[in-house]
Amino acid sequence: MTVPIDLSPDAPPPSFVVELPEYAGPLDLLLSLIRDEKVDIYDIPIARICEQFLARIHDLGLNEAADYLEMAARLIRIKAQMLLPRSAGEEGWEDPRAELVRRLLEYQQIREAVDVLEKLSEDRRSRFARSYIPVSNAPPVAPLSLSLAELLAAVDRVLRAAREPVLHDIVPRALDVDGAIETVRAVLALRSSALWRDIVRGNAEPWEVLSALLALLELARRGELRLAQSRPFASVEIVRESPGEAA
Amino acid sequence: MSPLAKLLEAALFASARPVPTEELAVLDPDASPAALQAALDELREHYDTDGHGVELSDIGGGWQILTRPEYTETIERAQLALRPTRLTAASLETLAIIAYRQPIGRAEIEEIRGVNVAAVLRSLLERGLIEATGRGEGLGRPLLYGTTPQFLEQFALRHLDELPRADEFAVALRAEPRPV
Amino acid sequence: MSPLAKLLEAALFASARPVPTEELAVLDPDASPAALQAALDELREHYDTDGHGVELSDIGGGWQILTRPEYTETIERAQLALRPTRLTAASLETLAIIAYRQPIGRAEIEEIRGVNVAAVLRSLLERGLIEATGRGEGLGRPLLYGTTPQFLEQFALRHLDELPRADEFAVALRAEPRPV
C-alpha cells in the first residue's frame, strides 16, 4: 500500500538521456579549457589556450561551425597582438585579451543564472497542474469581446497586406448604412428584441452584412438599442431601448 | 488520508482525462481491487464530509475530480464580472485567415502573415474559436485548423457560408456603384 | 473549511493556470482582501496538514493547485500525465540572458552567447516562454524580447525579482588562486 518505487533494471538507462552538443558555444568551450588548465582568467596564456581550442574543435568535428571558427580567428588575432612589441611603453598598453576576458566573465555569469533556472524548472517539473478541465467547469477566464465587424476588419487587413495593389482605392460609401438603420428600426418596431439573423437574411450580400453591422453599432451608439450577450459565446441579442418606454 | 488515497488524488488531479478504475490500478500494482476501491471511497468521503469545494465523480467512463455544482454558478458569474478581453490584432488576423481558408495548416498561415503564429494558434485553440480538423499532405502531415461551432456562436452565424465571401468582401470595400 | 475556502478550492480546481488574487476576489465581492488571504491560507494549511496529494502554491503571478512532487514519477509511469520536456542548454542560456537583460534584442544575445540564436529564439517563442515586447533603436529597429507569465509559472517564480540578482553571482573566475 505504498507508492511503488521502480528500481527494476528495465527503467531507462541513464545513458539514454538525450545527448546535447558538448558545449553550448565557443565561450563555453573556452571556459572549460580555462577551468581544465587551471589558469587565471585574468591572465590567460593565450598561445596555449588557442592551440588547445583549435585542437578541441578539430576533435569535435566543429571545423565547419562558424561560431567556433570565429572564436578561433579571434584567439589567433589576440595571440598575434600579444607578440607585438609594446611600443608606447607600459602606460598606454592595452591588454589585447581584455575584451575576451570581459565576455568570458559575462558569459560565466549567465552560466550561473542557468544553474539557478535549471534548478527552478526541475522543481516545477516535478509537480503537475490540472490538465483536464471538464467543459462544464470553465476556468475563470474573462469573456471575449469580439464582433463580426472586428473579424471583417481583420480580413481586410490581411487581404490588404497579402495583395497590396488590388485593394488600393477604398470607397466605404458603397455601403447602405441608412437603409440598414431603417430595416433595424422596422424590426424593432414590431418586436422588443431581435437576433442578428432577423436583421440580415442568410444569403445577404457582403455590403448588406457590413451595412447592417454599421447600422447596429450606430443605433447602439445613439442609445436606440442595446447589444446583449447573455453569456460568452451566446448569440448577440439586439434589444430595443426606447427612452420613453417603461422598462 | 491513506497514502493510496493521496496518490489517487494527485493522479486524478493531474490526469488529462477521466481515469477508469483499471488504469488507476496501474498506479499501485500491489494494491488489491478492494484496496483501490477502499481508497477511492476514502477520497470521496473525505471530499464529502470534510467540506471541500470539489467532489469525486465516476460518470463518463472514469473517475474525475469535479467542482461542486453549487460553486459552478458563482465561478461562471465571476467570469462574466471580469472585464471582457479582446483578441489582439495578431489573433484576429490569424482567425480571419483560418475562417476564410480552412482547413489550413500553420505553415500556410505563417506564409500569409509573415510571422510565427504558434502562440496565437494556442490562444485561439484555448478560446475554443478554432480546432484541429485533420492533417494535411506532405512533410510531417501538419495539423490543419478550422473554426468551431463556438466561432459561429460568437458571431451569431448559423453557417460558415453566412460569412461574406472573401473575394466579395474585398469587392465590397472597393468602389462600386452604390446599391439601391 | 470555511465557505470562502471551499469556493476558492472549487475555482482553483477549475483552472489549469495560476489565478491572480484579483480574479479570485471577483468570486466573492463581499470578501475583504484580508478575508481572501485568510481563506487562501486556510486552504493551503488544509492541504498541508490533512494529508493531501496536492498543495497550494503561489507562483506565476497567481494561485495554483499542484500535485506534490513525490507522486510525479508514479503518475508519469502510469501515463496519466507527462512532464514537459527539459529545455536544452542552449535554450536555458538564451532564456537566462533574456530573463536578466530584458528587453533585449537578438544581436545582443548572440554577442553574449557567441552563437547564432535564431532557432533557439523560435523554440522559446513557441513554448510561450518569451515574447516580443517591443522594438529597439537602431538599424532595422530590431525586435526586443522579454519573458512571459508562463515563464514565471514554469520556473515556479512569483515575480522576476525573485531571481537572484546578477551581481550576486560569483563572477570572479580565478579557478585556482595562483601564486603571482
Side-chain angles (χ1 to χ4, degrees):
Chain A
M1 278 286 282
T2 53
V3 181
I5 301 297
D6 190 356
L7 294 171
S8 61
D10 49 65
S15 64
F16 206 66
V17 170
V18 180
E19 274 299 326
L20 299 167
E22 270 155 297
Y23 301 103
L27 288 165
D28 192 20
L29 170 52
L30 205 51
L31 270 184
S32 85
L33 287 177
I34 288 168
R35 236 179 264 118
D36 293 350
E37 294 293 309
K38 296 188 178 12
V39 299
D40 186 346
I41 194 166
Y42 294 102
D43 189 18
I44 301 171
I46 206 78
R48 190 166 108 216
I49 291 294
C50 179
E51 195 177 301
Q52 286 178 348
F53 186 89
L54 291 171
R56 195 73 69 93
I57 67 172
H58 180 73
D59 292 348
L60 292 170
L62 291 170
N63 291 341
E64 304 286 316
D67 301 324
Y68 288 86
L69 291 182
E70 196 195 317
M71 178 58 73
R74 190 187 304 264
L75 291 174
I76 292 167
R77 198 161 56 241
I78 296 172
K79 185 175 128 188
Q81 284 166 347
M82 293 291 284
L83 296 174
L84 290 176
R86 298 177 192 181
S87 51
E90 295 298 315
E91 291 294 301
W93 188 73
E94 203 179 304
D95 193 330
R97 300 169 297 182
E99 170 63 12
L100 184 65
V101 170
R102 186 197 63 76
R103 286 189 62 190
L104 282 170
L105 289 174
E106 184 177 41
Y107 181 75
Q108 170 64 17
Q109 215 173 33
I110 293 302
R111 297 293 306 183
E112 293 193 31
V114 165
D115 291 344
V116 170
L117 288 184
E118 212 157 20
K119 194 189 159 301
L120 289 172
S121 97
E122 274 311 295
D123 280 359
R124 178 57 187 84
R125 273 184 84 245
S126 69
R127 296 183 289 165
F128 289 116
R130 194 91 199 267
S131 60
Y132 172 71
I133 307 289
V135 184
S136 59
N137 287 311
V141 165
L144 183 62
S145 160
L146 172 59
S147 69
L148 190 55
E150 286 172 279
L151 180 75
L152 296 181
V155 174
D156 180 43
R157 288 202 300 275
V158 171
L159 287 175
R160 264 190 267 187
R163 355 188 181 112
E164 199 70 67
V166 186
L167 285 162
H168 259 154
D169 42 355
I170 294 155
V171 182
R173 283 180 191 283
L175 306 175
D176 182 18
V177 180
D178 293 343
I181 285 179
E182 288 318 306
T183 308
V184 175
R185 278 181 176 149
V187 170
L188 288 184
L190 298 170
R191 318 163 45 170
S192 61
S193 74
L195 295 175
W196 168 252
R197 52 179 168 272
D198 299 324
I199 308 289
V200 181
R201 53 201 171 85
N203 57 347
E205 296 286 319
W207 64 266
E208 292 177 303
V209 174
L210 290 172
S211 303
L213 270 169
L214 295 174
L216 287 176
L217 295 175
E218 174 62 20
L219 289 174
R221 196 182 61 77
R222 292 188 203 168
E224 288 186 38
L225 58 80
R226 184 160 49 85
L227 298 171
Q229 222 174 355
S230 57
R231 59 192 166 79
F233 302 120
S235 295
V236 173
E237 225 188 329
I238 301 153
V239 185
R240 181 173 65 205
E241 198 128 76
S242 322
E245 216 169 276
Chain B
M1 286 199 285
S2 68
L4 185 54
K6 286 196 275 185
L7 171 60
L8 291 176
E9 180 183 48
L12 289 173
F13 178 84
S15 170
R17 55 195 148 68
V19 190
T21 312
E22 314 84 74
E23 283 184 55
L24 286 177
V26 178
L27 285 166
D28 185 356
D30 297 335
S32 67
L36 188 66
Q37 188 55 52
L40 284 165
D41 289 344
E42 184 190 349
L43 185 59
R44 187 207 299 262
E45 196 100 326
H46 177 85
Y47 285 153
D48 289 350
T49 58
D50 207 38
H52 275 264
V54 294
E55 63 188 3
L56 188 62
S57 135
D58 63 341
I59 48 161
W63 295 90
Q64 55 179 314
I65 302 171
L66 294 175
T67 57
R68 286 188 188 275
E70 59 260 46
Y71 298 113
T72 313
E73 206 191 321
T74 311
I75 294 171
E76 276 173 13
R77 223 181 21 247
Q79 189 179 340
L80 287 174
L82 294 169
R83 257 208 0 260
T85 52
R86 311 184 77 87
L87 291 181
T88 61
S91 294
L92 260 174
E93 283 165 25
T94 302
L95 185 60
I97 291 168
I98 293 171
Y100 280 94
R101 292 275 189 93
Q102 57 187 302
I104 184 172
R106 184 176 131 193
E108 222 184 318
I109 302 171
E110 292 184 340
E111 195 168 317
I112 297 173
R113 293 216 44 234
V115 294
N116 183 299
V117 297
V120 167
L121 283 180
R122 203 175 316 121
S123 98
L124 291 173
L125 285 165
E126 270 175 24
R127 285 267 179 202
L129 294 170
I130 63 166
E131 63 193 349
T133 55
R135 286 188 177 275
E137 300 298 310
L139 203 70
R141 313 226 41 227
L143 281 175
L144 299 179
Y145 299 95
T147 54
T148 60
Q150 274 191 5
F151 168 86
L152 292 178
E153 266 186 66
Q154 176 77 33
F155 299 110
L157 298 168
R158 260 164 305 172
H159 305 289
L160 265 182
D161 49 22
E162 286 186 356
L163 278 176
R165 281 184 34 210
D167 48 350
E168 289 173 343
F169 180 72
V171 171
L173 287 176
R174 297 183 58 206
E176 285 286 282
R178 196 184 158 85
V180 185
Chain C
M1 286 199 285
S2 68
L4 185 53
K6 286 195 276 185
L7 174 58
L8 292 176
E9 181 184 44
L12 290 171
F13 254 80
S15 174
R17 289 274 161 80
V19 185
T21 312
E22 316 83 73
E23 279 183 43
L24 289 176
V26 178
L27 287 165
D28 183 358
D30 298 334
S32 67
L36 191 67
Q37 188 56 52
L40 284 165
D41 289 343
E42 184 190 348
L43 185 58
R44 189 207 297 261
E45 195 100 326
H46 177 84
Y47 286 152
D48 288 349
T49 57
D50 206 38
H52 274 263
V54 295
E55 61 191 7
L56 183 62
S57 72
D58 58 339
I59 56 169
W63 298 86
Q64 189 174 28
I65 298 174
L66 296 172
T67 60
R68 290 185 190 277
E70 55 261 45
Y71 303 112
T72 302
E73 277 199 38
T74 311
I75 292 170
E76 199 171 47
R77 214 173 21 245
Q79 300 193 337
L80 294 176
L82 288 177
R83 272 182 279 189
T85 52
R86 280 200 185 86
L87 290 175
T88 62
S91 293
L92 268 173
E93 265 185 26
T94 305
L95 195 55
I97 293 169
I98 294 171
Y100 277 92
R101 300 282 179 88
Q102 57 189 309
I104 184 172
R106 180 177 138 190
E108 223 183 316
I109 301 169
E110 293 184 338
E111 163 73 20
I112 297 173
R113 285 202 52 218
V115 295
N116 181 298
V117 297
V120 169
L121 282 180
R122 207 173 315 123
S123 105
L124 291 174
L125 284 165
E126 266 175 33
R127 278 180 176 247
L129 294 171
I130 63 167
E131 61 192 351
T133 55
R135 286 187 178 277
E137 300 298 312
L139 201 68
R141 312 222 46 226
L143 282 175
L144 300 179
Y145 300 95
T147 53
T148 60
Q150 204 171 325
F151 165 81
L152 294 178
E153 185 190 338
Q154 208 160 311
F155 289 86
L157 293 165
R158 250 162 296 184
H159 306 287
L160 267 181
D161 51 23
E162 282 189 357
L163 284 176
R165 281 184 24 217
D167 54 19
E168 287 169 16
F169 292 131
V171 275
L173 199 75
R174 293 176 190 271
E176 301 285 297
R178 273 165 67 91
V180 181

